[in-house]
Amino acid sequence: MSDTYFRVHPNINFARVGNSKEYYIAPETAAGDLIDKKTGLFGGLPIKPGTEDTPIEAADFRDNDQNVKRQAARFRIYAYDSPQEEYPAADGGHEVQVGDTVGGKKITDIVWTVHLANKKNNFYQITSANGEEEGINAYKGINPDTGKPNHPPVRDPSFGDDLANTTRRSQLVIDAGPRAIHSASGAGTAISFDANTPCKYADSTGKVHDVPNYPVSFPDDHFNMYQYDGAIDTLGELEIEKGTGRLIVAGAYGRASGIIQPDGNAPAMTDPIDNDYWFDDTSDGPVNAVVVFDDGSTQEVVGGWVVTTDPGYAPQTRNVVSTWDDMFNTWVEELGLIPSLYSGGQYQPSYQASFYGDILPVFHGAFLQRWNTSLPDKGVNGHNYMAQISYQDNPKERIPNFKDLLRDPNNPDEDGEGVKMPLALGDATKSFLSLSPTQYFLMMQWYDGVSVEDAPAIGGGEALDRDVLHNCLGGRYSPGIDLTFIVRDVNLYKQSWQGETGPFRVNQQPLDYTKASKDEPFLGVGYVPLQKAMVEPGDLCKFMSQPWHTDYNSCAVHEPDPNPRQNNTLYWSWPAQRPVQVHPANLCTFDTNNKVWNLGGQLFSVRGDGEGADNGTHTNYPQNEGRYQLYPDFVANWHKVGFIIQGTQIPADQGSNYGADKFLEVASLFTSNGDVVQPWPTSAIPKAKS
């Protein structure tokens, strides 16, 4: 065994669908972080392909035909000189590429294997049979009738209720199989995850093998399908980045298709989350690699995972609670990640919070989300005030009532308090959003003066792990949009992390492709929450909405649920991932005297007209505004939604750009202005004037 330890970073990365063949690279900085103090540019921006870290601009979201570019995930290999015994790793590691020398041996190749699948239809619905438990609560306990662990009802029940059934696994799973590619020779050649491209994998020695008998499966292989924008016939492709040898994984095209029913029509699409007989082309799967040396020796790399999900319509907007925050909380409280922070079942009062690492990102999240929502002037001023807090401020003088303002996640009685922060909708069975317990503890440490300005430096690979997940939704998983409540389940991860693997690794199921047969589905049921089943391709995306479009469309504003106080105020679901009300750049006006841009009015980000009198987004009900009233309309028009980007990245006719202090909508293809935006509406319908 070599004294060098190789790991794929990021440990989880996100590709995002688009209807263009072109792509840009996923962000490698954390959304909401101020990464350039001179220009005021915030992190979270995707990267122009062919560059190291050049952020995209407004014109880069679409291709010349105005199609949405996909976001591709970029993976790297880091080498460590010692096993990891603590977090962050004492040895920060360094990236290695073909041609580098490690331990006296030259790397001649890196051979990658990726396997993508979508198991959404061969899994359970989001909500329990009685409709009362969601998320991980629906899997708790034992069913007294079966003696087996509880779970929600299955999707597509007409195919039977046994997920292990051969027919279900054959026909309801989209499985593209594995693909292999060489860093030394694969640059510039895309390998598709479609039905016609041969399945290949690299063994532990880096030798690539064909898998001619792999049971590749796409919906049109089994059913007569109703299609939007073409068949689901690929899950994307992989290639090697020119000049670096890094791996690029691009997802598919945002398509949805449904099994045509006996009456000759498309299946119904009426639920925000679970729509039987529909498929989409999101996916996920393992990313593994083998390093090959000039002396003929090889070494396997600790693998990562790729997830394909919806477009990133507001990449710079940070969630107040991110996927990272939820995952980090789980590792802190249950897997012994940082004993000086949490041990013996409690947080340690001597642990110092980091202002820039733990506190300011939360304030920036609140500040940036005001650009994706419609707040009254008092709310806007409050969000701006929070973003201006500095480490030099005395927090008890700056915000003396802070502890009364912030919702305590450890106090269930505060869940129904809509006057506390964060002012957004909560997780399954919770009315309002709360910080994670770890976030809340660190926030209180800072407020009580137990903090430092910045945290110790972290290695480049672990920084990628963290920052990529900072760009994704946390806190509200009903089910969410990138990943979901499973990030809080220790069974998702390799729990014995100290040593070779390090923390936050998905607990991969080893796959023996030599046993593949065209007559038998290859993938099993896979990971189930609160059980110890290991994770297969397709096991992460299967917890999401089917298709993804319906959940995105519906998650604008809602009343709290549960709603103990019968509150008719409407709150936001995921304003960082799903902008609701936006400031279009083309509505801004330039003040020639003061040389500044003034904001125009706000519009709903989703504001399309349908083909029929009852279609489109118009409604007389405030709780249904800002979305299509019929789900199929959004499936047909999702690619028209615009993107939110910082003004420095938007060229302007007057002045060089719109300025760092604004986050504006660009590249929307909607021609309708939609319904009138009202600041913070209620669900009550205004009475007509007599």
Side-chain angles (χ1 to χ4, degrees):
M1 181 69 180
S2 169
D3 291 332
T4 302
Y5 300 83
F6 294 99
R7 300 181 194 135
V8 171
H9 291 286
N11 52 15
I12 301 175
N13 205 353
F14 293 83
R16 297 183 181 273
V17 299
N19 61 342
S20 170
K21 291 188 179 298
E22 297 182 31
Y23 62 76
Y24 42 72
I25 305 299
E28 295 176 346
T29 54
D33 279 0
L34 188 60
I35 60 172
D36 191 327
K37 294 182 180 179
K38 183 177 293 186
T39 65
L41 184 66
F42 276 83
L45 277 169
I47 298 164
K48 293 187 178 185
T51 72
E52 179 68 21
D53 54 13
T54 303
I56 66 168
E57 298 176 339
D60 295 319
F61 286 110
R62 297 185 183 273
D63 63 20
N64 290 336
D65 295 321
Q66 296 304 300
N67 293 319
V68 175
K69 293 182 183 179
R70 294 171 294 163
Q71 174 180 294
R74 181 163 65 180
F75 292 92
R76 316 177 189 211
I77 305 292
Y78 274 71
Y80 298 84
D81 295 330
S82 59
Q84 184 166 358
E85 300 299 334
E86 59 186 1
Y87 180 82
D91 170 11
H94 62 281
E95 184 183 0
V96 295
Q97 299 174 3
V98 173
D100 291 345
T101 298
V102 178
K105 298 186 292 186
K106 184 177 180 181
I107 298 175
T108 57
D109 200 1
I110 299 170
V111 191
W112 301 84
T113 302
V114 181
H115 186 157
L116 295 182
N118 176 321
K119 289 184 176 180
K120 283 187 177 183
N121 281 6
N122 192 41
F123 202 61
Y124 303 115
Q125 298 177 14
I126 301 302
T127 308
S128 64
N130 61 16
E132 295 181 0
E133 288 86 30
E134 291 185 41
I136 205 162
N137 290 332
Y139 295 85
K140 291 181 177 178
I142 300 297
N143 186 313
D145 296 327
T146 65
K148 296 180 180 180
N150 283 320
H151 57 73
V154 297
R155 286 171 168 163
D156 298 282
S158 66
F159 288 84
D161 60 3
D162 180 7
L163 299 184
N165 176 273
T166 298
T167 300
R168 287 192 63 101
R169 290 189 295 127
S170 295
Q171 298 184 5
L172 299 182
V173 173
I174 305 174
D175 186 1
R179 302 291 187 275
I181 194 168
H182 296 267
S183 284
S185 59
T189 300
I191 298 176
S192 179
F193 287 95
D194 62 13
N196 299 317
T197 302
C199 293
K200 297 175 182 287
Y201 75 97
D203 65 19
S204 60
T205 70
K207 182 178 179 180
V208 173
H209 300 268
D210 291 327
V211 195
N213 292 320
Y214 194 87
V216 171
S217 179
F218 286 90
D220 289 70
D221 297 336
H222 311 288
F223 309 108
N224 187 19
M225 303 297 294
Y226 179 90
Q227 301 170 357
Y228 282 93
D229 297 324
I232 296 178
D233 54 9
T234 181
L235 294 180
E237 63 262 2
L238 77 168
E239 62 181 273
I240 296 301
E241 185 178 56
K242 293 181 180 179
T244 68
R246 298 168 182 158
L247 178 71
I248 304 291
V249 182
Y253 297 99
R255 294 171 182 165
S257 64
I259 303 171
I260 293 178
Q261 299 301 288
D263 61 4
N265 294 317
M269 188 187 291
T270 57
D271 193 86
I273 298 172
D274 293 301
N275 291 282
D276 288 337
Y277 312 117
W278 283 97
F279 294 82
D280 70 21
D281 61 4
T282 61
S283 64
D284 69 88
V287 176
N288 292 307
V290 176
V291 176
V292 181
F293 297 99
D294 56 356
D295 65 354
S297 64
T298 62
Q299 188 169 336
E300 290 185 273
V301 178
V302 175
W305 210 269
V306 64
V307 180
T308 300
T309 184
D310 69 309
Y313 289 106
Q316 290 172 282
T317 308
R318 190 192 191 279
N319 291 279
V320 172
V321 184
S322 69
T323 303
W324 168 259
D325 296 315
D326 278 322
M327 186 181 293
F328 184 69
N329 184 86
T330 296
W331 278 79
V332 165
E333 291 192 347
E334 300 188 54
L335 294 171
L337 185 70
I338 307 176
S340 61
L341 169 58
Y342 185 94
S343 60
Q346 61 184 3
Y347 288 92
Q348 300 302 301
S350 62
Y351 187 86
Q352 294 179 306
S354 159
F355 178 77
Y356 283 109
D358 303 321
I359 308 305
L360 193 60
V362 177
F363 294 154
H364 278 170
F367 160 66
L368 293 168
Q369 288 187 32
R370 57 145 291 205
W371 294 98
N372 303 356
T373 57
S374 181
L375 293 174
D377 289 343
K378 183 178 179 180
V380 170
N381 292 337
H383 283 71
N384 291 343
Y385 183 84
M386 299 298 280
Q388 294 166 0
I389 294 173
S390 71
Y391 181 69
Q392 286 69 36
D393 290 328
N394 182 328
K396 293 186 177 179
E397 294 179 359
R398 178 90 176 189
I399 37 178
N401 60 337
F402 183 62
K403 289 189 176 182
D404 294 327
L405 286 175
L406 195 64
R407 188 173 294 107
D408 184 352
N410 307 297
N411 184 355
D413 293 337
E414 293 192 6
D415 178 51
E417 295 290 339
V419 297
K420 290 181 177 287
M421 301 297 289
L423 279 174
L425 293 170
D427 205 352
T429 72
K430 292 186 178 181
S431 301
F432 292 100
L433 180 67
S434 298
L435 300 182
S436 75
T438 304
Q439 283 181 295
Y440 185 80
F441 169 77
L442 294 170
M443 192 68 71
M444 293 301 102
Q445 291 292 90
W446 164 75
Y447 191 73
D448 289 334
V450 188
S451 66
V452 293
E453 185 169 8
D454 211 348
I458 189 172
E462 291 189 327
L464 286 172
D465 295 344
R466 176 196 62 196
D467 292 347
V468 163
L469 292 165
H470 263 309
N471 297 325
C472 300
L473 171 75
R476 177 171 169 80
Y477 297 129
S478 300
I481 198 69
D482 305 304
L483 289 178
T484 187
F485 62 88
I486 59 174
V487 301
R488 301 174 181 150
D489 179 16
V490 296
N491 297 290
L492 181 68
Y493 307 108
K494 291 183 178 179
Q495 298 177 37
S496 299
W497 61 274
Q498 290 171 307
E500 183 177 356
T501 67
F504 310 116
R505 297 284 164 179
V506 172
N507 191 25
Q508 285 192 33
Q509 171 67 57
L511 300 174
D512 185 355
Y513 295 112
T514 65
K515 296 181 179 179
S517 168
K518 286 191 177 294
D519 299 325
E520 183 76 16
F522 183 79
L523 298 177
V525 174
Y527 164 75
V528 179
L530 304 183
Q531 299 182 28
K532 294 183 178 180
M534 300 177 79
V535 187
E536 292 184 344
D539 274 350
L540 272 59
C541 71
K542 71 186 182 186
F543 292 88
M544 311 311 296
S545 171
Q546 178 70 300
W548 67 266
H549 314 69
T550 55
D551 200 22
Y552 185 95
N553 181 66
S554 68
C555 280
V557 293
H558 299 279
E559 293 178 349
D561 182 20
N563 194 358
R565 297 176 181 268
Q566 299 303 305
N567 189 338
N568 70 354
T569 303
L570 297 173
Y571 297 87
W572 297 272
S573 294
W574 320 316
Q577 303 300 107
R578 200 287 194 199
V580 182
Q581 298 100 343
V582 298
H583 290 275
N586 60 11
L587 295 185
C588 294
T589 57
F590 190 69
D591 182 339
T592 55
N593 292 325
N594 296 308
K595 306 299 181 184
V596 296
W597 285 96
N598 295 318
L599 294 175
Q602 276 194 308
L603 302 177
F604 288 104
S605 67
V606 179
R607 51 183 186 270
D609 291 328
E611 295 179 358
D614 297 327
N615 295 350
T617 59
H618 175 67
T619 176
N620 292 322
Y621 296 89
Q623 65 266 40
N624 291 334
E625 288 182 326
R627 71 200 80 182
Y628 278 95
Q629 305 309 300
L630 300 176
Y631 289 119
D633 278 350
F634 185 74
V635 178
N637 290 285
W638 65 270
H639 58 279
K640 295 181 181 178
V641 177
F643 298 82
I644 312 302
I645 194 170
Q646 197 167 2
T648 52
Q649 305 304 102
I650 311 173
D653 293 334
Q654 295 169 296
S656 59
N657 55 59
Y658 286 81
D661 62 332
K662 295 175 180 64
F663 292 78
L664 307 174
E665 181 203 57
V666 298
S668 173
L669 300 186
F670 288 125
T671 57
S672 168
N673 284 344
D675 293 318
V676 176
V677 173
Q678 300 291 338
W680 211 340
T682 68
S683 59
I685 301 175
K687 293 182 179 179
K689 294 181 179 180
S690 58

